[in-house]
Amino acid sequence: MFKLSDASTIIDTALAEGRTRGLAPLAVAVLDAGGHLVAYKREDGAGIVRFDIAFGKAWGSLGMGFGSRELTERAGKNPTFVTVLSAVSGGRMVPSPGGVLIANEQGHIIGAVGISGDLGDNDELCAIAGIEKAGFRPIAKLAD
């Protein structure tokens, strides 16, 4: 079962990783498997649109069944499809690394993390650190 305490561990670890790496201020959203917000934090100095981006990375990952890195790669190969996805989802999908699925020990998807604030690759590294610290398995790409 995915609990608020798990989401808090993910967020706090992701933010600590960002500080260790000297990244720009981050915003971190954790969603359950149904796409509902479980927890969110925004560091001082993170822009006001960062929530929407972080949420969109996580929500899009859940909606497609793979991390937003995979969505980014697919956008490069088929931009029309991603444009349609954006329209169908009401603009909630953000094709940029930083959205990572959370899997339990059995490999079932139990939620997703979305981070915005720095380069997508750095956002993703922080999401993975948080997921692992909480004892779950991060899934950023289909090959994971």
Side-chain angles (χ1 to χ4, degrees), residues 61-129:
S61 296
L62 286 168
M64 292 304 293
F66 47 77
S68 62
R69 173 173 294 285
E70 180 78 19
L71 185 58
T72 303
E73 291 172 5
R74 290 184 182 200
K77 296 174 187 170
N78 193 350
T80 302
F81 178 67
V82 174
T83 299
V84 171
L85 279 178
S86 180
V88 169
S89 70
R92 289 185 282 183
M93 292 196 179
V94 178
S96 175
V100 181
L101 294 171
I102 304 166
N104 64 14
E105 291 177 0
Q106 295 76 34
H108 298 117
I109 302 304
I110 58 171
V113 179
I115 299 182
S116 177
D118 205 89
L119 297 174
D121 290 344
N122 291 332
D123 295 343
E124 183 180 89
L125 288 172
C126 293
I128 290 169

